Amino acid sequence: MNTTTPAPSTFRTLSTPRGPVPADAPAWNRQRASQMPSHRYAPVRDRVAVPLTERSWPTRELTIAPLWVPVDLRDGNQALAEPMDPARKRRFFELMVAMGYKEIEVGYPSASQTDFDFVRLIAESGLAPDDVTIVVFTAARRDLIERTVDSVRGIRNPVVIHVYTATAPTWRELVLGRDRADLKELILSAGRDVLDLTADLPNVRFQFSPEVFNLTEPDYVLDICDSITTLWDASPERPVILNLPATVEIATPNVYADQIEYMHRNLARRDGVILSVHPHNDRGTGIACAELAVLAGAQRVEGCIFGNGERTGNVDIATLALNLHAQGVDPMIDFSDIDEIRRTVEYCNRIEVHPRHPYVGDLVHTAFSGTHQDAIRKGLAAHRAKALATGVDAGKLDWRVPYLPIDPADIGRGYDAVIRVNSQSGKGGIAHLLETEFGIELPRRLQIDFARHVQQQADASGDELSAHALWELFTARYLPENSGQVALTDYRVDRGSTEVRLVISGATSSSVHTGIGPVEALTQALLAAGIRIEILALHQTSADAGNASDAITLLEYRDESGVRWTAGRAASVIDASFDAVIRAADLAIAARDSAATHAVA
């Protein structure tokens, strides 16, 4: 048994777990009991009954999009430190319409004058297209319902009056001070008020939310929902929306799915009910709750674009929609310019979207890891090659690129930021950036050689290296300025012979070589002058850096110091090749002189 006293912690406000290792823990799991007071919280099945024992949602698949209902202008607006002013509300509404949302909760008109005025703006202008349903929200109290109905008078669009009341035991007892029977009567009384106050408005339908549904007794919430749909005479021709919120997440998503399927199976007038869900994200599983709820029978999902909302947020309906897109299912909403959507939402909410936010974050399509970069680069290359081979536009081909669940182009993103280089990156990412930004293609062995230098630079600076920084490092390493000890002053290639004129350490020489290529002729001339350059590989590429495209020769060679790489750059291929060989010779002399100096020392 290890009895060593642990070193004092740097984090003195933390209580490092020092309790016993559980007796039944496997040998490989040495986690110890903590001081966290977890005993204070009851597991979900001790807090609410979940009567479903056989379920069908696990075997279902998502094949169509639910009806999306953004609540940014109401629920999301209530969550903002600075609620939206009229200009921001209007801008956000126009964005939702442009994206294709057909049912939008626009406000809580009895709660603020700004919300009331915005609903009146819709009533008195052509802001809402005819096929967009307007939803307004109210608590179950007659004066608030009356104010809400006043706000929608004159709206030509379909309108939904959304009434809510909390139904869970803790809320009944601590907040509302009512028992089950009293609260049911309050809800039905509000339902009668809605019918009375909207009797002259034929374009109005009704919605009821038993707030904190997921913590309400199943028999009680079912009874209330059936009573309200009976009161409102729910029918396929005039359906009632029953919205079942996970107002505060308290369980794993499968429990919420069970609760939704229980209601889906047991609701009266089911064909006259639109079953809706409104998950929150307290446990970080709002997305999963919504997806499983749709599998369990939900037809409508309320949430916020990018998930704003009180505490940890409402469910993110943009992520939900793009999850469908990534499975080959039309989300029925347009995300073809995700950055414009993000900019608008950030402006309206005054909240920045996290760089790792699914789909929309600045870094979600970006790979820094070398293995990821290599896989993405190869996948993109294969995708382009398939497009060329089949003659099919690359934007219409099946998408099979590692680490990128969707084509960034689908949502208006380019490929320029897919691969970025830091100290975690590898040769593939470096090669990708140089190729995409400058057109230069590095052979594999040169990728390996250059990656070592990039790694050293990144480790030293601790910074990300841009494509331009990589190019500067590449030119400094492989296209350095010559010392001037070796210069090719002139050459002529004519009918199988090459004449070469050199200046080496101030001495001029001229030679003619026949029966061999120009590059070999140059190496022979250098050898005659005492400089041995053995060419191992010579690769031709080009570079678009600067105002014109130059030929680039990438040269792998062996001199007295070993195997090395250099490059040459010029307007023509042969001049670039000669430039590379002369640069190699210049480096060889410099290395030889340096070795001699060290030997003397």
Side-chain angles (χ1 to χ4, degrees):
M1 180 177 178
N2 184 357
T3 58
T4 303
T5 302
S9 173
T10 303
F11 304 98
R12 298 187 180 278
T13 58
L14 299 184
S15 298
T16 302
R18 294 194 177 93
V21 175
D24 58 350
W28 45 263
N29 185 345
R30 311 315 296 158
Q31 292 179 147
R32 294 180 174 275
S34 76
Q35 289 81 47
M36 295 293 292
S38 303
H39 62 277
R40 300 177 62 206
Y41 305 98
V44 63
R45 292 181 191 277
D46 290 347
R47 301 170 73 181
V48 62
V50 184
L52 197 68
T53 57
E54 293 184 6
R55 51 195 58 80
S56 58
W57 62 261
T59 59
R60 292 179 180 160
E61 295 183 17
L62 297 175
T63 57
I64 61 171
L67 175 64
W68 307 112
V69 182
V71 296
D72 298 81
L73 299 179
R74 192 275 300 176
D75 200 344
N77 191 43
Q78 290 174 276
L80 299 175
E82 294 181 66
M84 284 178 268
D85 55 40
R88 283 178 165 81
K89 289 203 83 166
R90 179 168 186 155
R91 179 69 173 162
F92 212 145
F93 182 82
E94 290 171 338
L95 171 70
M96 294 172 185
V97 170
M99 293 173 69
Y101 290 106
K102 296 302 179 185
E103 189 164 317
I104 302 170
E105 190 170 83
V106 298
Y108 196 158
S110 66
S112 77
Q113 189 64 42
T114 300
D115 274 26
F116 186 92
D117 290 345
F118 184 70
V119 179
R120 295 310 303 153
L121 173 67
I122 293 172
E124 296 164 2
S125 70
L127 191 58
D130 292 342
D131 61 349
V132 172
T133 297
I134 301 300
V135 184
V136 286
F137 186 78
T138 180
R141 207 175 80 194
R142 185 177 177 88
D143 60 323
L144 302 181
I145 295 169
E146 187 170 11
R147 174 78 167 161
T148 302
V149 173
D150 287 345
S151 76
V152 301
R153 290 192 180 278
I155 293 181
R156 296 178 297 275
N157 302 70
V159 172
V160 170
I161 304 289
H162 179 185
V163 181
Y164 80 96
T165 300
T167 55
T170 301
W171 276 253
R172 290 197 309 261
E173 296 162 8
L174 300 182
V175 181
L176 302 174
R178 293 176 182 264
D179 61 20
R180 285 172 52 143
D182 287 342
L183 186 63
K184 179 180 177 180
E185 178 50 36
L186 180 150
I187 292 167
L188 292 178
S189 177
R192 289 188 287 270
D193 290 337
V194 169
L195 283 175
D196 177 39
L197 294 167
T198 62
D200 61 334
L201 299 176
N203 62 328
V204 171
R205 292 188 291 112
F206 310 125
Q207 173 177 343
F208 174 64
S209 287
E211 192 186 4
V212 211
F213 154 80
N214 58 325
L215 273 171
T216 303
E217 307 94 326
D219 65 314
Y220 182 58
V221 78
L222 183 64
D223 176 51
I224 287 176
C225 287
D226 284 346
S227 298
I228 201 76
T229 55
T230 299
L231 174 67
W232 285 341
D233 193 22
S235 67
E237 295 73 33
R238 197 183 186 193
V240 167
I241 301 165
L242 290 177
N243 185 55
L244 308 178
T247 307
V248 181
E249 270 200 312
I250 47 87
T252 50
N254 61 296
V255 173
Y256 189 53
D258 281 352
Q259 292 172 318
I260 297 301
E261 185 165 338
Y262 173 80
M263 297 294 287
H264 169 61
R265 288 187 185 186
N266 292 287
L267 280 169
R269 298 183 180 233
R270 182 65 185 88
D271 61 349
V273 169
I274 300 169
L275 189 57
S276 175
V277 292
H278 184 121
H280 277 245
N281 198 44
D282 300 86
R283 303 177 79 253
T285 57
I287 295 286
C289 281
E291 290 180 325
L292 297 191
V294 173
L295 291 175
Q299 301 151 291
R300 179 181 182 272
V301 177
E302 294 185 354
C304 288
I305 302 171
F306 308 141
N308 175 49
E310 285 191 304
R311 305 184 312 278
T312 56
N314 296 292
V315 70
D316 180 342
I317 57 173
T319 297
L320 281 168
L322 286 168
N323 284 353
L324 288 179
H325 173 69
Q327 292 293 310
V329 177
D330 183 356
M332 311 297 283
I333 302 295
D334 180 67
F335 293 93
S336 58
D337 190 347
I338 197 76
D339 290 321
E340 177 64 16
I341 296 168
R342 183 198 65 201
R343 283 191 293 269
T344 302
V345 173
E346 288 179 332
Y347 162 75
C348 294
N349 284 344
R350 299 181 177 94
I351 298 174
E352 291 187 3
V353 173
H354 193 280
R356 293 292 183 188
H357 193 107
Y359 299 108
V360 68
D362 283 335
L363 296 178
V364 295
H365 299 120
T366 300
F368 290 101
S369 160
T371 54
H372 289 204
Q373 291 175 342
D374 189 55
I376 291 170
R377 184 175 64 91
K378 289 173 180 174
L380 289 174
H383 189 77
R384 289 191 295 266
K386 185 177 180 181
L388 288 172
T390 60
V392 177
D393 184 272
K396 297 179 179 178
L397 277 177
D398 290 348
W399 183 252
R400 294 181 60 202
V401 175
Y403 295 111
L404 296 178
I406 67 169
D407 185 347
D410 290 352
I411 53 176
R413 292 270 176 89
Y415 302 109
D416 52 332
V418 168
I419 290 175
R420 290 160 62 176
V421 170
N422 64 12
S423 62
Q424 303 298 308
S425 306
K427 65 183 187 305
I430 296 163
H432 174 83
L433 284 185
L434 288 179
E435 182 176 351
T436 55
E437 290 291 323
F438 301 106
I440 183 169
E441 298 180 21
L442 303 185
R444 184 175 182 277
R445 290 194 300 278
L446 179 52
Q447 291 178 28
I448 295 170
D449 187 81
F450 185 43
R452 291 188 294 105
H453 302 293
V454 173
Q455 189 81 40
Q456 291 169 2
Q457 176 79 8
D459 282 338
S461 67
D463 295 331
E464 177 187 345
L465 298 181
S466 66
H468 287 278
L470 290 175
W471 177 249
E472 290 176 1
L473 184 60
F474 180 87
T475 55
R477 181 66 193 176
Y478 302 110
L479 288 163
E481 289 293 328
N482 284 0
S483 69
Q485 293 197 74
V486 182
L488 175 64
T489 58
D490 195 13
Y491 73 88
R492 189 164 78 175
V493 179
D494 184 31
R495 296 182 182 181
S497 69
T498 303
E499 181 179 359
V500 176
R501 295 181 183 177
L502 296 169
V503 174
I504 300 174
S505 300
T508 303
S509 67
S510 178
S511 58
V512 177
H513 307 268
T514 60
I516 57 176
V519 173
E520 189 177 354
L522 178 56
T523 60
Q524 290 288 343
L526 289 168
L527 183 60
I531 304 173
R532 182 175 178 274
I533 299 294
E534 180 185 354
I535 295 176
L536 304 177
L538 189 147
H539 301 266
Q540 303 296 343
T541 183
S542 61
D544 297 324
N547 295 325
S549 177
D550 283 346
I552 297 284
T553 295
L554 305 171
L555 183 69
E556 185 180 25
Y557 67 97
R558 181 184 288 113
D559 62 11
E560 294 176 4
S561 301
V563 176
R564 305 168 75 180
W565 283 90
T566 192
R569 180 176 182 177
S572 70
V573 170
I574 190 169
D575 284 347
S577 299
F578 281 171
D579 186 44
V581 174
I582 292 299
R583 187 168 278 105
D586 192 69
L587 291 169
I589 286 184
R592 187 173 63 191
D593 292 348
S594 176
T597 300
H598 282 93
V600 171

